[in-house]
Every structure is written in structure tokens, then in C-alpha cells.
Amino acid sequence: MAVLVIADHNNVELNAATRNAVTAALELSSNVSVLVTGYQCQAVVDQVAKIEGVGQVLVASHPSQQHFLAENQSLCISSIAKEFSHVVAPATSMGKSVMPRVAAQLDVQQITEITKIFDENTFERPIYAGNAFIKLVSSDAIKVITVRATKFVSAIDGNNVAPTKDIEANFDAQLSKFIGAESSKSDKVELTTAKVVVSGGRGLASEENFGLIHQLAEKLNAGVGASRAAVDAGFAPSDCQVGQTGKVVAPDVYIAIGMSGAIQHLAGMKDSKMIIAINKDPDAPIFQVADIGMVGDLFEVVPEMIAKLA
Amino acid sequence: MKVLVAVKRVVDPNVNIRVKADGSGVDIDNVKMSPNPFDETAVEAAVQLKEAGVVSEVVVASIGSQKSQDVIRAALAMGADRGIHVSTDADLEPLAIAKVLKQLVELEQPDLVFTGKQAIDDDSNQTGQMLSALLNWSQGTFTSKLSFENDWVNVTREVDSGRETIAVKLPAVLTVDLRLNSPRFASLPEIMKSKKKPVETKELTSFDLQLDSRFKVQLVSAPETRNQGIKVTSVDELIAAAKLTAKGN
């Protein structure tokens, strides 16, 4: 049984969620290859080759693969998928966009965002925003899978360097073009891998006030998260959004400030090891999942925390 | 330009679902049902394009039981022109839904298909991408902004690293994020008017398709419950209980 992992990256840095997908792949088989599609992405190939357990790195480098356009990337993945029993990607925006296309091209039903592997055919995945889990057996010949990163440990670097092999990469469907990207500042702690996350909700009331969240996060070397309501209101950029349709995080400590705890938000953070909630409404649903709750005005509590954490 | 919008009837997003004690599924008997919220955003997008004169006709399709007509009627009340209901009591997986939608696309020949980026029941996030692949069309997932330029649509997408803009060639399948718009509440006159709009029903059995399920569900279980937490009344207690130290993690 040979398993293929699709690397998520930006041609320079490997997205850490790829390492979790490698761990999932290694649960399925010891024969794991990683495909790096992209362009001028040798730095990423080098990072992948060092990961413990990776047997070989397949490199599909071509301008058509530079921007991870789903139409082009899926054709590349499909072209080699039949050599594998499982094709696995992290459930990042890349994995979510590309893998269903791969699955349809192979005529298989994708298994989205698995949280557990029982055997090569049997998996667990969340439904209803994580309010239920479904254990399913897939009968497809090739399993196309995306992996919830927080449910699998991150594969670390080993002592060996896996061999690399170039594969055909010229798949230009001419259906889409990359125009541009707006990325948030990279000096912040990465939300999905942070040990501590400080997250703000609608209770912050303004973008200016959301600065309190950044100040507290800075003190704690924490990632900054936000509820959808806070993002929609413009208090925080969209890549901070934690929830059913935003990022899924599971830090050691999650500090939820001024957020009610809607089902959709809880879906993205309730696997955190410790949840701390600060909200003036004692009936806020967030207190039902919080390990430590404090009913209070965040505009008093948070500045005091910042001062006392000096 | 003609738009097809795919809508799904799901458990209302405000309902706390319960897993059945025997692990056979989620108890949705007598539970309030609604259009999938992402699909409402998709309908709103199509109707806005019609109001802007970019689109000439908005056709809404739903695949499911007789009651799926409710979500079609809701879309018609928002301003869609007509509906297609593909009737089946089978619980179809995303690939099967994409295959049925592909046949509807071949019949209707729309220039654009809109759908929500995911359904809030199965959270699969697959159907739009699969449809696009089966048609060999372009796709724009997680659309939060769009504009047209000749035969291309500029799509701003919500991605992990922030936002990204791509241009996709028409015809295209776009899956929408909630940030694209705020779906309108249908007015009473629109609701009355929608009752007269045509909804065509097609039996799924009339489609020449093999739609076998690829999954066998063994068990549906509730998530582990968290232990009852504690309440603290001062910041000192909070910091002590959480053993929080600045930069110390």
C-alpha cells in the first residue's frame, strides 16, 4: 500500500498542516510519498525531504503549478493518483479546493477532514460543526482524504533525507489565472500552530478596541483569533477567523474574550486543552465549554491581565 | 447570462442537534429545517446580479425529498425565477449530487453555477468543486467578492493566509462564503408572488445515473463532553488557575 501526501506551501515555506497529514499517512502505511506541486519551490522540497517517515518526494515544478490553481493542480495530482491507495492532503484552503476535484476526476467520494483512522478503509470525521462524529467505511479503490491537522500530531524532521523525483508538471487547463493575494503580516504567531490563542468577539466593539486582543497576545506569545462576527464587523482580518468555516485550532490554552460562543465558533476551538472565557453575560454559551470562566467587563479584565502579566 | 443555484435543505443552523442513542444517526425528526445558510448567500448573489442587469435568469435546483421544495420556494421568494426539484428520498453523497447537477447543467446550459461553500449538516465542502471538475469548468471556491470582465470573473477568495484574487473563465462554478453578502428577508408580496413561479419536479429515477453510495456509516457518536469548568471572580485567580505567564509558554 502506497500513500501520497499533497504538500501545502507557498513555494517558500511548507504549511505546517502538511506535517500532520504526513502523520495520518504514516498511520495508513509506511510507504509514504509527498508530492510538491509548485514552481521554484526547491526550499519546500528540501523541507519535505527531511520529514521523518517520508520515503520519497515527487516534485512537479512548472509555471502552471505556481499559484496552486485548483484546475491545474488537480490534473497534476490525478495524473499519478492511480499509483496510490490513498491520496491525503491537509484540510487547508488548498486541500479543500483541490481534493474534491481530484476525487471527482477519479470518480471517488472524498472523505473530508478526518479526525481518526481505524484502518485503511475506516475513518472518523465530524459532522454538524463537530456536534457529532461519523465512523464510515469507504468502498472506493483510491481513498481521497483531507485531514484535520489538530487531530494528528505534527511529523518531525528525521535523520535521513528522502530522495526526490521530478514528475510531469505541465498541466495548464487555461481555466483560471492568479491575480493577486493580500496576506496578513507574517511577524505574528501562526494561529493554527500557536500554543496559546487569544481570541476576540463582537464584544470588542471596534477594530481599535481589538488592539487589546493583540496586546494580550503579544504578552503571551499567542496567536490572534476572532469570531466570524468580529471579522465581519471588520475588527480583525478574515484569516483570524476560528470556526466551522474558518480555522480549526487546538492550542494548549484558548482565551475567548467578548464572544458568546456560537455553535459555529465552538466547532473551531473546542478541542483546545484549556478554554478560558471572559464575558460579561453569565449565560453566554461559551461558559458551557470553558474550563475557567470569568464573568466581567472585558474592558476592565483584559487591561488588568495585561498589566499583571508584565 | 443564466445562473443555476444549487440549494440544500438542512437542519436549521440554530438547532442543537442530538445524536441518537443507538448510534444510527442524528435525530432530525421534528427538527426545524432551513435552507443551508451558505446557499442563501449563493441565491442572494445570483439575485443581485439579476438586479444589476448582468444576469437574465436565475434557476434554483434542489435534490432531495418532497420537502426540498420548501427551500426552492424560499429562493423564489428572494427573487429567483424558477425552480427544479429532483425528487428522491435517498441520502446522496456529494459526488452523486454533483453528477445529478452536471446533468441539470447540460439541460439548462447556465453560464454560471453558484452554490454554498459547504452544507452545515455534513460539512463536506465538496459538491461545487466536484461539479466543476465533472464539467471541466473553472472553479472559484470561498468567494467573498466577484466582478465580471468579458468572459472572465474576478473572484476574491477567503484563504488561510488572507485573501486571494483569481480570474476564472466562464462558464464557472462558484462556491460562496458568507462574507459575499447578507441574504435578504423575503417580503410578503414576494412570498405571495413566489407561489406562482414555476417549479418543475423530476424524479431522480428518470436520470440515467449510477449513484451508488461509496460510504457505509458504522456509527454516529456524540463528541466527548468537557468536564465542568470553574468560575473565578478576579484576574489574579484567573491567572493563577490558568498558570498564565507572559511569553512563558
Side-chain angles (χ1 to χ4, degrees):
Chain A
M1 225 174 56
V3 177
L4 181 67
V5 175
I6 313 303
D8 187 8
H9 63 95
N10 61 3
N11 291 314
V12 181
E13 278 279 331
L14 184 68
N15 182 331
T18 310
R19 292 177 179 274
N20 309 85
V22 168
T23 298
L26 287 166
E27 283 187 29
L28 291 161
S29 168
S30 56
N31 182 1
V32 171
S33 299
V34 179
L35 170 63
V36 178
T37 68
Y39 186 55
Q40 296 176 332
C41 52
Q42 188 58 42
V44 175
V45 173
D46 294 343
Q47 289 162 46
V48 169
K50 283 189 209 146
I51 299 174
E52 186 154 26
V54 172
Q56 79 172 329
V57 187
L58 302 172
V59 184
S61 176
H62 187 268
S64 65
Q65 302 299 322
Q66 182 174 4
H67 298 294
F68 317 102
L69 295 163
E71 300 85 348
N72 298 353
Q73 195 182 359
S74 62
L75 289 173
C76 183
I77 297 167
S78 301
S79 75
I80 58 163
K82 292 208 164 88
E83 296 164 33
F84 298 89
S85 59
H86 299 73
V87 183
V88 176
T92 54
S93 43
M94 179 283 290
K96 289 175 183 173
S97 294
V98 173
M99 296 301 269
R101 271 192 101 86
V102 172
Q105 283 158 357
L106 299 170
D107 192 33
V108 310
Q109 174 54 56
Q110 183 195 299
I111 313 157
T112 293
E113 219 161 340
I114 61 165
T115 47
K116 207 184 269 182
I117 297 169
F118 296 93
D119 63 41
E120 64 202 69
N121 304 316
T122 314
F123 307 90
E124 179 195 80
R125 60 172 301 267
I127 54 174
Y128 288 96
N131 288 304
F133 284 84
I134 189 166
K135 182 180 174 186
L136 61 87
V137 184
S138 162
S139 59
D140 281 314
I142 303 173
K143 272 70 171 172
V144 174
I145 295 168
T146 62
V147 173
R148 175 167 285 196
T150 56
K151 289 290 194 174
F152 295 87
V153 297
S154 179
I156 55 169
D157 287 351
N159 297 318
N160 299 322
V161 175
T164 62
K165 185 178 149 195
D166 287 327
I167 64 160
E168 176 59 47
N170 183 5
F171 293 95
D172 188 357
Q174 301 195 331
L175 291 169
S176 55
K177 294 185 282 203
F178 177 77
I179 307 285
E182 275 175 60
S183 294
S184 307
K185 283 169 245 131
S186 58
D187 57 343
K188 284 191 291 194
V189 180
E190 222 279 296
L191 181 57
T192 51
T193 51
K195 289 210 166 75
V196 179
V197 170
V198 180
S199 217
R202 207 197 313 249
L204 270 300
S206 74
E207 187 183 1
E208 202 185 7
N209 292 340
F210 205 86
L212 278 175
I213 300 293
H214 291 286
Q215 284 177 42
L216 182 57
E218 162 72 17
K219 285 267 176 173
L220 293 166
N221 193 30
V224 171
S227 67
R228 191 176 78 79
V231 171
D232 281 354
F235 304 167
S238 56
D239 55 315
C240 289
Q241 186 180 314
V242 172
Q244 182 182 18
T245 69
K247 287 180 179 165
V248 176
V249 300
D252 293 341
V253 182
Y254 188 88
I255 309 179
I257 298 172
M259 51 173 61
S260 63
I263 296 171
Q264 290 80 357
H265 184 78
L266 298 182
M269 48 64 83
K270 68 183 177 190
D271 286 333
S272 303
K273 292 198 184 74
M274 176 189 282
I275 297 171
I276 301 173
I278 300 163
N279 197 307
K280 65 181 177 194
D281 173 8
D283 298 323
I286 191 78
F287 288 124
Q288 288 163 24
V289 299
D291 301 286
I292 303 173
M294 181 162 173
V295 178
D297 183 348
L298 73 91
F299 295 110
E300 290 164 17
V301 174
V302 178
E304 192 181 337
M305 282 180 82
I306 292 166
K308 289 189 167 160
L309 283 166
Chain B
M1 180 157 39
K2 180 166 162 181
V3 178
L4 181 73
V5 190
V7 294
K8 182 176 186 181
R9 180 173 178 268
V10 297
V11 169
D12 186 274
N14 299 313
V15 170
N16 273 317
I17 58 101
R18 283 213 342 262
V19 173
K20 288 182 188 168
D22 65 357
S24 64
V26 167
D27 190 359
I28 57 167
D29 292 342
N30 307 312
V31 164
K32 185 174 182 234
M33 303 295 279
S34 297
N36 179 39
F38 291 94
D39 299 347
E40 288 183 304
T41 302
V43 172
E44 177 66 34
V47 171
Q48 283 184 13
L49 289 172
K50 192 182 173 199
E51 288 166 345
V54 179
V55 159
S56 51
E57 189 183 25
V58 178
V59 183
V60 178
S62 192
I63 300 158
S65 71
Q66 180 65 22
K67 288 192 169 154
S68 300
Q69 291 199 5
D70 297 351
V71 298
I72 294 175
R73 288 287 168 201
L76 297 177
M78 287 172 70
D81 296 294
R82 63 186 169 89
I84 302 171
H85 171 218
V86 178
S87 175
T88 176
D89 287 324
D91 192 10
L92 297 181
E93 292 162 1
L95 180 66
I97 296 286
K99 287 179 178 178
V100 177
L101 289 173
K102 176 176 186 258
Q103 295 219 344
L104 293 183
V105 166
E106 284 163 355
L107 277 170
E108 290 285 334
Q109 302 274 316
D111 304 284
L112 200 55
V113 176
F114 273 120
T115 193
K117 77 167 178 181
Q118 73 188 60
I120 61 153
D121 50 3
D122 66 19
D123 283 337
S124 287
N125 195 330
Q126 297 177 8
T127 304
Q129 296 90 314
M130 286 181 153
L131 173 62
S132 172
L134 295 176
L135 291 163
N136 197 26
W137 283 13
S138 58
Q139 75 174 41
T141 44
F142 327 141
T143 304
S144 65
K145 204 169 135 189
L146 58 97
S147 63
F148 291 84
E149 220 175 293
N150 303 319
D151 293 338
W152 294 76
V153 194
N154 288 319
V155 174
T156 298
R157 312 173 54 227
E158 304 280 327
V159 294
D160 294 337
S161 57
R163 277 177 200 164
E164 173 186 284
T165 303
I166 57 172
V168 302
K169 197 175 189 176
L170 288 171
V173 178
L174 302 185
T175 79
V176 307
D177 219 316
L178 296 175
R179 213 154 287 126
L180 180 61
N181 60 49
S182 303
R184 70 193 67 191
F185 289 103
S187 66
L188 190 59
E190 289 295 335
I191 292 170
M192 299 310 292
K193 226 160 66 185
S194 73
K195 293 188 195 295
K196 292 194 182 115
K197 291 181 179 175
V199 176
E200 179 189 358
T201 298
K202 294 174 188 287
E203 291 299 324
L204 182 67
T205 46
S206 70
F207 288 73
D208 182 23
L209 281 172
Q210 284 284 337
L211 302 174
D212 47 320
S213 339
R214 312 297 179 86
F215 290 164
K216 204 171 118 226
V217 176
Q218 281 195 336
L219 183 73
V220 179
S221 56
E224 287 168 25
T225 50
R226 294 186 76 98
N227 292 328
Q228 183 69 44
I230 56 161
K231 282 268 170 70
V232 295
T233 52
S234 75
V235 169
D236 292 324
E237 276 180 81
L238 176 64
I239 290 173
K243 297 183 185 71
L244 282 177
T245 43
K247 303 262 187 194
N249 53 78

